[in-house]
Amino acid sequence: MARLRAVQAAVAGSRAGLLPSLGASGAATRGRGAGAGSGAGTGNSFSLGLNASWELDLWGRLSGAVDASQAQA
């Protein structure tokens, strides 16, 4: 049963390569101005980033890996 589960996990891992990859990042900073006058204050800065990538399977490398994993199962 453990071998079957391991092979099924390998098939699922191969299939994951066919799907798009998504990611997100974020950051927040708080800083104080470095001025001698009364205009120096505190400020906040926020940023958010999103990315997505997907590999075209033009030569069948990814689908071949899925087929090989299924054949091994």
Side-chain angles (χ1 to χ4, degrees):
M1 288 303 289
R3 277 182 91 181
L4 178 61
R5 282 191 217 120
V7 174
Q8 287 173 338
V11 171
S14 297
R15 284 187 181 144
L18 298 172
L19 301 174
S21 173
L22 304 173
S25 62
T29 59
R30 181 173 177 89
R32 178 171 238 192
S38 61
T42 303
N44 298 321
S45 175
F46 302 98
S47 66
L48 176 65
L50 300 172
N51 62 27
S53 64
W54 182 59
E55 182 178 348
L56 287 174
D57 193 16
L58 295 177
W59 289 274
R61 182 182 63 85
L62 297 174
S63 60
V66 172
D67 292 342
S69 296
Q70 288 176 337
Q72 188 177 8

